[in-house]
Each structure stands twice: as C-alpha cells, then as structure tokens.
Amino acid sequence: MTAPLPHTLGPPVVCAPLAVERRALDGDALAGVRLVRTGMGRRAAGTARALAVDGPRPVLVAGVAGALAPHLEPRDVVVADEVRDGP
C-alpha cells in the first residue's frame, strides 16, 4: 500500500553534487527554486535528510552525466525510471 500524496508540496529543490554544477545553475530562470550543493556519495545523505525536514517537495538532481552514455549531448535531460542505493 502506498501513502497518499499530500495536497500541497513545498517549493522545489535542485540538488547539484559538484560546485561547478551548482554555479552553472545560477540564473533568473530558477527564481523561487532552492539550489543546494549536496556533495557526492554517502556524504550527501545528510543533506538529503535535511531537505526532507521541511516536508515533501519536488527534488531534482542536476549534474554532469557525460560518462553515462556515449550518445548524450550537452543540455540533454536524463530522467531516472528507478532509484537504487549502492552496495
């Protein structure tokens, strides 16, 4: 059984693991969106937990995925269809 979705969500958050990714996102187009440099790996888990304290909200991760697949081009959008935890 899944939990019902809340009627209201908090403001969106965009997480950027690297400082260069975070700087690339600065701009007027993201007014009203919280930008967070999360870091990478298990260290980022604390940041993710802190984001959940204020309640549910849309969370996006922006980053460099150049090594993900050879056919990716700059400005391509990659959407996950599942989320996994490491070993």
Side-chain angles (χ1 to χ4, degrees):
M1 177 175 234
T2 60
L5 291 175
H7 292 286
T8 60
L9 296 174
V13 176
V14 176
C15 300
L18 302 176
V20 67
E21 295 161 342
R22 168 63 177 81
R23 285 190 305 271
L25 293 169
D26 283 335
D28 295 334
L30 296 175
V33 174
R34 183 175 171 199
L35 301 175
V36 178
R37 182 179 177 278
T38 59
M40 294 174 33
R42 296 215 181 264
R43 293 183 322 180
T47 302
R49 278 192 297 275
L51 293 172
V53 170
D54 295 332
R57 68 196 61 256
V59 176
L60 299 94
V61 178
V64 178
L68 189 62
H71 65 276
L72 289 176
E73 297 288 333
R75 294 175 297 282
D76 281 353
V77 175
V78 178
V79 178
D81 58 4
E82 66 180 285
V83 178
R84 297 182 187 184
D85 189 11

